[in-house]
Amino acid sequence: MSAPTEPQPSTSTTSSSTAMKAPSSIQVNPQRAAVLVQNLSAIQSRIASTLSSLPSPQSARQVRLVAVSKLKPASDILSLHSPPPSDAPTAVDGHQHFGENYVQELLEKSRLLPRTIKWHFIGGLQSNKCAQLAREVEGLWAVESVDSEKKAGLLDKGRGERNQRLHKEFGDEWKAECERHGWQDKLRVFIQVNTSGEESKSGLEPGSAELVSLAKLIRSESSCPNLHLQGLMTIGAIARSRATTKETENEDFITLRTTRDKIAEEIGLTNKEELELSMGMSEDFESAVRLGSDEVRVGSTIFGERPAKKDAKVIEDTETEKK
């Protein structure tokens, strides 16, 4: 099977007219949508400003913005993916890339929302959820928290089963159907690296033999024919994020970049930038961009404070009442 056709970082918007119409049970509040669009636009502007401050050719890079929508209702996602028409200067086209942390929540949202959304799974991944995640989430663009050969193998198995199902459903036109929705046959994966050394964090140790072995396994057509190694991801220490300034760059980001360079050499890549860096969140994404991040994951700065997991609802009560 072919590798994904978007190996380079892409811009994070697409015309909302291309999105499938969402179920009528999801009602977008125009006032809430306007706030979300304004917040998203502000983050995009800050990314652009950071890039423009860098010397060429770094200033010409594109950085993917993943809007982390965990524990937020489907209506918030729809507000950004298919925003209501607006003449406001902050109006944006439909945002494509959204990140989720919980498999069950992602499964539910992916069944409710337009198939044109590009989902990123960024949470801690349990082995017993891997195959289901890769098999059942249409539009799953990437899994960013892979940290073992077992999980990689199960993701590969699930993606293969998904491809077989599509082939059975659409016959020889299954790849054309994927292309129509912007799906890929291979699932992109990022290896999670524990750059801070914290026991509470998942991920492999920088420079470890396990990290090199996992990278080689994912790139092996015989071992993982349904996966594509997109790059490395880190979460990093909160204290380092809060202490980050232009003068004191984040040590976790420097470590991930150095690790990427070494891994690229170990697996025989002539261009180290073929492996992306996914690093940077709400408090430190500008520092991450300065240090070469290809993707930042921003949640609370766009969506606001999250509810407790027990209180989170995919479909809000106010939406349910409007059915």
Side-chain angles (χ1 to χ4, degrees):
M1 293 183 183
S2 60
T5 56
E6 298 177 37
Q8 298 300 320
S10 63
T11 54
S12 54
T13 58
T14 186
S15 172
S16 59
S17 64
T18 64
M20 288 178 59
K21 187 176 180 181
S24 58
S25 59
I26 302 178
Q27 301 295 325
V28 171
N29 181 304
Q31 289 75 33
R32 170 67 173 167
V35 171
L36 293 173
V37 167
Q38 184 176 30
N39 292 346
L40 178 71
S41 180
I43 298 297
Q44 292 171 329
S45 295
R46 288 169 64 184
I47 291 172
S49 177
T50 302
L51 286 169
S52 67
S53 70
L54 300 175
S56 181
Q58 291 95 323
S59 59
R61 288 175 23 236
Q62 291 183 313
V63 175
R64 185 184 308 112
L65 171 58
V66 176
V68 180
S69 47
K70 69 174 182 179
L71 303 180
K72 289 296 182 176
S75 57
D76 276 5
I77 299 169
L78 192 61
S79 294
L80 293 177
H81 185 65
S82 303
S86 173
D87 295 326
T90 55
V92 297
D93 288 334
H95 194 74
Q96 289 182 295
H97 294 270
F98 292 86
E100 293 288 337
N101 284 57
Y102 306 110
V103 171
Q104 199 57 44
E105 182 180 0
L106 175 52
L107 284 167
E108 188 174 354
K109 286 178 175 177
S110 69
R111 290 163 182 161
L112 283 170
L113 288 161
R115 290 186 170 188
T116 42
I117 290 175
K118 296 179 178 179
W119 297 105
H120 296 240
F121 185 81
I122 60 176
L125 185 58
Q126 297 176 312
S127 296
N128 63 354
K129 298 287 187 180
C130 288
Q132 181 186 26
L133 177 68
R135 181 178 59 244
E136 297 183 19
V137 178
E138 300 294 8
L140 182 61
W141 199 87
V143 175
E144 305 206 12
S145 47
V146 179
D147 58 5
S148 75
E149 294 187 2
K150 179 180 180 180
K151 292 175 185 178
L154 290 168
L155 287 169
D156 182 78
K157 177 178 181 291
R159 190 64 161 200
E161 291 170 348
R162 173 263 202 182
N163 289 342
Q164 290 173 3
R165 172 173 54 80
L166 290 176
H167 187 272
K168 183 177 181 180
E169 184 176 352
F170 297 105
D172 292 340
E173 299 299 316
W174 77 277
K175 286 194 175 183
E177 182 70 11
C178 287
E179 186 174 339
R180 186 168 74 86
H181 291 297
W183 302 338
Q184 303 294 335
D185 52 355
K186 289 199 174 192
L187 174 62
R188 299 170 178 84
V189 296
F190 290 78
I191 298 175
Q192 184 170 354
V193 181
N194 186 350
T195 55
S196 64
E198 296 171 285
E199 292 185 3
S200 60
K201 294 285 195 319
S202 299
L204 297 174
E205 182 181 344
S208 65
E210 291 84 358
L211 179 54
V212 176
S213 177
L214 179 55
K216 290 180 177 179
L217 178 86
I218 293 170
R219 283 177 53 83
S220 169
E221 280 292 329
S222 60
S223 299
C224 294
N226 301 300
L227 301 184
H228 172 73
L229 181 59
Q230 191 77 6
L232 306 182
M233 182 274 270
T234 191
I235 295 176
I238 294 177
R240 290 175 180 172
S241 295
R242 292 174 176 168
T244 295
T245 66
K246 287 185 178 180
E247 291 73 32
T248 58
E249 297 291 13
N250 192 309
E251 184 180 336
D252 287 311
F253 300 159
I254 295 172
T255 298
L256 190 69
R257 186 177 63 185
T258 302
T259 302
R260 186 273 309 273
D261 295 351
K262 291 179 179 177
I263 291 294
E265 183 178 356
E266 288 277 359
I267 63 178
L269 291 180
T270 55
N271 178 12
K272 63 187 180 184
E273 293 181 357
E274 286 185 40
L275 289 182
E276 292 185 359
L277 298 173
S278 175
M279 57 188 192
M281 298 187 289
S282 287
E283 294 194 31
D284 55 17
F285 67 87
E286 287 156 309
S287 171
V289 171
R290 286 194 294 270
L291 289 173
S293 183
D294 299 289
E295 174 185 282
V296 296
R297 311 177 306 274
V298 179
S300 58
T301 307
I302 297 172
F303 294 102
E305 186 177 350
R306 297 185 184 95
K309 187 177 180 181
K310 64 181 179 63
D311 298 325
K313 296 179 180 179
V314 171
I315 300 291
E316 293 182 307
D317 291 338
T318 53
E319 294 172 354
T320 304
E321 292 167 2
K322 294 177 182 178
K323 288 184 180 180

